[in-house]
Amino acid sequence: MEFVSIIAIALMIIGSFGIIFLKKPLDKVIMFSILDAGFVLVIVLFKYLDVAMFAALAGPLSTLVFILAIVKIKEIRQKKLDSGDAL
């Protein structure tokens, strides 16, 4: 059980540092998914299984919203570059 908790903490730390230090938005999405996996594992270790079920269902939805936001920001930046406005 202790080994699993070390893995969960490691996943959350790796995901957090990846989100902070990586520059590409899609790489941040991957790191967010790693962070989410560690978070759900910690919730399961504390035996809050109903909360873990909600987190497991809400995780992919939040990732989808994150990806849609990245696409929309990219479209807005592209329109500004095409129209000649400065960022």
Side-chain angles (χ1 to χ4, degrees):
M1 193 66 132
E2 184 178 323
F3 181 69
V4 176
S5 63
I6 292 171
I7 291 175
I9 293 170
L11 284 173
M12 291 192 323
I13 290 172
I14 290 169
S16 299
F17 282 124
I19 290 171
I20 293 169
F21 293 120
L22 291 176
K23 300 294 183 198
K24 293 182 182 178
L26 291 178
D27 291 341
K28 288 181 183 271
V29 172
I30 294 169
M31 289 296 136
F32 178 73
S33 297
I34 292 172
L35 175 95
D36 188 40
F39 180 66
V40 170
L41 191 54
V42 166
I43 294 172
V44 169
L45 287 174
F46 282 110
K47 295 184 175 76
Y48 291 114
L49 299 180
D50 54 342
V51 178
M53 184 178 71
F54 176 75
L57 293 174
L61 293 176
S62 62
T63 304
L64 181 65
V65 170
F66 194 45
I67 291 172
L68 289 173
I70 290 171
V71 169
K72 189 66 175 176
I73 289 171
K74 190 174 183 179
E75 287 176 3
I76 291 171
R77 287 181 180 167
Q78 189 63 37
K79 283 182 184 178
K80 283 188 175 186
L81 288 175
D82 290 344
S83 66
D85 293 340
L87 291 176

